[in-house]
Structures are given as C-alpha cells and as structure tokens.
Amino acid sequence: MTAVLPAVLLLVAALSGCDVMKRISEGAYRNAVADGAAVELGERGVRLRGRLSCTTRAGRPESVMRIRCTGRTAEGAPVVVAGVATEADTRRPREHYVITVGGRSVMTADCLGRACT
C-alpha cells in the first residue's frame, strides 16, 4: 500500500494545475493512508469502528502535503492519524506519521502498512 504513496504524491505535484486530477490523486493518497493506518492499528490489537476519514492540505511550499485522519475504535476511543510528506514533488517524498488513540500516542512511523520494513 505504501508503495503507492510516492507515486500519488508525485502525481499530485505534477498535476497541480488540473483540479480534477488533483482531487483524484489526493483521494488516492487519503485512501492509502487510511488503509495503511488501519493495518498498523490492527497489528497492535486496535479495532476500528469504521473507516478512517482523512483530509489533505497542501502546504507551502507546494512540496509539502499534510494529512489528518480521524475515526473511533470499536470501543469508542478517538483515533487521529497526523502526517506530513515533504519533498512531495519528487520521486522519493519523506513521510512522517503519528497515530494516537484516546489521546495517547501508539506509534510514529515514516511508512504505514504492510509494505513497510
């Protein structure tokens, strides 16, 4: 799943002038992060109530992309995934994510999902 993130971010940066493609690319990034975070949480025994809801925001400079995903555990505790990708306009963006459950940090990572080593 995370192998998709660099390509998606590059596509967002490359197609920034085309609103339709930008929305599709940002949607793919949001889905990839939501899926990757769900895998990471599941591996830590955290069950989600439903799919995480993610929003993206391009930063300044345009090579920075921020993402925030929210949801709830099966027990009702709030889940937040906060991430940033720098050098998003390159083939190898640098990513950093923090996942909290109930206000407590459960992980920080530079990669999310099964493709991480």
Side-chain angles (χ1 to χ4, degrees), residues 78-102:
V79 175
V80 176
V81 179
V84 63
T86 58
E87 301 177 26
D89 56 349
T90 70
R91 291 188 183 270
R92 298 196 187 271
R94 296 177 186 209
E95 303 168 62
H96 183 75
Y97 302 95
V98 176
I99 301 177
T100 60
V101 175

Side-chain angles (χ1 to χ4, degrees), residues 1-110:
M1 184 58 56
T2 58
V4 173
L5 295 179
V8 169
L9 291 174
L10 184 60
L11 187 59
V12 168
L15 298 174
S16 61
C18 180
D19 289 338
V20 171
M21 289 306 294
K22 183 176 179 181
R23 282 193 303 271
I24 292 169
S25 298
E26 288 176 1
Y29 179 54
R30 287 190 301 269
N31 286 335
V33 172
D35 292 344
V39 166
E40 296 289 352
L41 289 166
E43 289 176 355
R44 287 161 177 77
V46 177
R47 293 180 310 127
L48 294 173
R49 182 177 286 171
R51 184 166 176 77
L52 294 170
S53 174
C54 300
T55 58
T56 54
R57 180 173 45 107
R60 296 280 182 228
E62 288 75 20
S63 62
V64 175
M65 177 69 72
R66 297 187 186 284
I67 190 162
R68 181 176 172 87
C69 305
T70 58
R72 297 236 171 233
T73 66
E75 296 77 25
V79 175
V80 176
V81 179
V84 63
T86 58
E87 301 177 26
D89 56 349
T90 70
R91 291 188 183 270
R92 298 196 187 271
R94 296 177 186 209
E95 303 168 62
H96 183 75
Y97 302 95
V98 176
I99 301 177
T100 60
V101 175
R104 183 178 57 92
S105 178
V106 294
M107 74 169 288
T108 61
D110 295 329

